[in-house]
Amino acid sequence: FSSMFSERLKIELSVMKLLYESDCLEKKKDDIMKTIGKRIWELKGQPERNILKDTIIMDALGEIERINSDIDATKNKASDISGS
């Protein structure tokens, strides 16, 4: 019984760690979104400027896509672990 309990506890801790990692990635994504918002604010007086082609914004959008992929992978790992 104790070995089964120990194994289940390890699984639960692993899931909690993965969910914490997912939350940290979400916070990082929020910070990047703030960067995008600030950059848009800086560019608002330049109507001739294409905001989506701004390098800072393009880099931030790419980083958000990568983080979203990492979040999905982390949540899938947590789901796989908790299902076992």
Side-chain angles (χ1 to χ4, degrees), residues 46-78:
Q46 302 174 18
E48 70 282 352
R49 186 94 189 229
N50 185 346
I51 292 175
L52 292 177
K53 290 191 178 184
D54 182 76
T55 56
I56 294 172
I57 292 175
M58 285 176 38
D59 291 345
L61 290 174
E63 182 72 9
I64 288 173
E65 288 178 12
R66 187 191 63 76
I67 289 173
N68 281 338
S69 175
D70 291 348
I71 289 170
D72 289 343
T74 303
K75 286 182 179 179
N76 287 337
K77 281 184 199 174

Side-chain angles (χ1 to χ4, degrees), residues 10-23:
K10 288 179 187 176
I11 290 170
E12 293 299 325
L13 286 174
S14 295
V15 169
M16 288 173 53
K17 286 178 185 177
L18 288 169
L19 293 176
Y20 175 76
E21 183 180 328
S22 176
D23 285 345

Side-chain angles (χ1 to χ4, degrees), residues 1-10:
F1 173 75
S2 64
S3 65
M4 184 176 75
F5 179 73
S6 175
E7 187 63 30
R8 189 65 201 167
L9 186 60
K10 288 179 187 176

